[in-house]
């Protein structure tokens, strides 16, 4: 492969707090956005909790970094695949997730949702299409 | 083939750094190219020269440094992850008013962009550690 555009997928499979993987994973995505690659994110297993709305970390003295996900759209990171089965196993639905959006510059800057719910099979197909998968 | 190596765990507690080292060495022995070895998360702890393992055990830090010297490998420790965990080179020590640095020979501290660039340049990125 040359130095052209590659497909990067960042797979988030851990809860937002408890370990630093989610936070440091997000840092990679934000820095990586400057490289103009074809980027998407996947949220599976406890990783779906990263996108849960109404996070309150005051009691645990952890830094609540969930507002940072709202910035992803401005960084052209607008394909956030959330696995349906992982949501269901945790008694969650799309309504429990942050309403993340981006402005589609190819469609008169119309505001569109970044989160796409996909099932396990669809996610496997998406993974198959990637050049690089980084796991957090 | 061009490999990029990502090390996500520190030395000793997990075998990830050992396995990454063995893979890197084997790949080089077979004539493959290592674009870069990038240390992230607790993997940055592979880059402190203050590590002092028992004498009858392997020295994971020095081993990486020696391999880097032999093959002119680019061993990069992520700056953001390093700052959190107290891995510091002379420049970083000065910038943050620290009284010491601890980066091991052969390693250097740089940004996360180096990880993405490694992904772009390499044919395969191999990640070691959770």
């Amino acid at each position: 492969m040359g130095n052209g555009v590659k497909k990067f997928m960042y797979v988030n499979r851990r809860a937002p707090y408890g370990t630093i993987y989610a936070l440091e994973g997000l840092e990679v995505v934000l820095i990586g956005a400057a490289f103009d690659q074809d980027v998407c994110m996947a949220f599976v297993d406890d990783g779906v909790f990263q996108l849960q709305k109404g996070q309150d970390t005051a009691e645990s003295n952890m830094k609540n970094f969930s507002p940072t996900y709202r910035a992803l759209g401005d960084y052209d990171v607008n394909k956030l695949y959330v696995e349906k089965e992982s949501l269901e196993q945790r008694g969650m639905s799309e309504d429990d997730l942050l309403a993340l959006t981006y402005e589609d510059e190819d469609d008169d800057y119309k505001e569109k949702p970044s989160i796409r719910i996909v099932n396990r099979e669809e996610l496997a197909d998406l993974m198959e299409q990637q050049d690089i998968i980084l796991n957090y | 083939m061009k490999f990029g190596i990502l090390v996500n765990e520190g030395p000793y507690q997990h075998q990830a750094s050992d396995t990454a080292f063995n893979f890197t060495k084997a790949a080089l022995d077979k004539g493959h190219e290592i674009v870069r070895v990038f240390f992230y998360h607790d993997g940055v702890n592979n880059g402190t020269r203050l590590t002092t393992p028992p004498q009858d055990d392997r020295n994971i830090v020095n081993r990486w440094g020696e391999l880097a010297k032999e093959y002119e490998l680019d061993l990069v420790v992520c700056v953001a992850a390093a700052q959190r965990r107290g891995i510091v080179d002379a420049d970083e020590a000065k910038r943050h008013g620290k009284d010491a640095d601890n980066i091991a020979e052969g390693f250097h501290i740089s940004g996360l962009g180096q990880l993405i660039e490694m992904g772009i340049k390499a044919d395969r990125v191999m990640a070691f550690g959770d």
Side-chain angles (χ1 to χ4, degrees), chain A residues 1-4 6 8 10 13-14 20-21 23-25 27-28 31-32 35 37 131-136, chain B residues 6 8-9 40-42 80-81 84-85 112-125 127 130:
Chain A
M1 262 174 261
N3 289 346
K6 284 192 175 181
F8 279 70
Y10 302 96
R13 51 197 172 87
R14 292 186 179 83
I20 201 168
Y21 293 104
L23 173 60
E24 288 193 333
E27 286 179 349
V28 177
I31 297 284
F35 286 77
Q37 302 294 301
D131 295 310
I132 311 259
I133 296 181
L134 294 172
N135 235 303
Y136 299 103
Chain B
L6 175 60
N8 287 331
E9 293 285 1
Y40 197 43
H41 301 308
D42 276 355
R84 289 191 177 104
R85 294 165 177 86
L112 275 169
Q114 302 280 309
L115 168 60
I116 307 299
E117 193 199 66
M118 178 177 91
I120 294 169
K121 285 185 175 170
D123 299 313
R124 291 276 188 282
V125 171
D130 234 359

Side-chain angles (χ1 to χ4, degrees), chain B residues 27-48:
Chain B
L28 290 165
D29 285 346
K30 288 274 185 191
H32 296 292
E33 184 186 332
I34 301 295
V35 173
R36 176 171 296 140
V37 184
F38 192 87
F39 297 87
Y40 197 43
H41 301 308
D42 276 355
V44 300
N45 291 312
N46 286 286
T48 166

Side-chain angles (χ1 to χ4, degrees), chain A residues 1 5 7 15 21-22 42 55 60 71-72 78 85 92 111 125 131-134:
Chain A
M1 262 174 261
V5 172
K7 290 171 83 78
Y21 293 104
Q55 292 178 31
S60 60
L72 288 170
N78 47 39
E85 288 86 343
M92 294 164 72
E111 197 162 300
D125 288 342
D131 295 310
I132 311 259
I133 296 181
L134 294 172

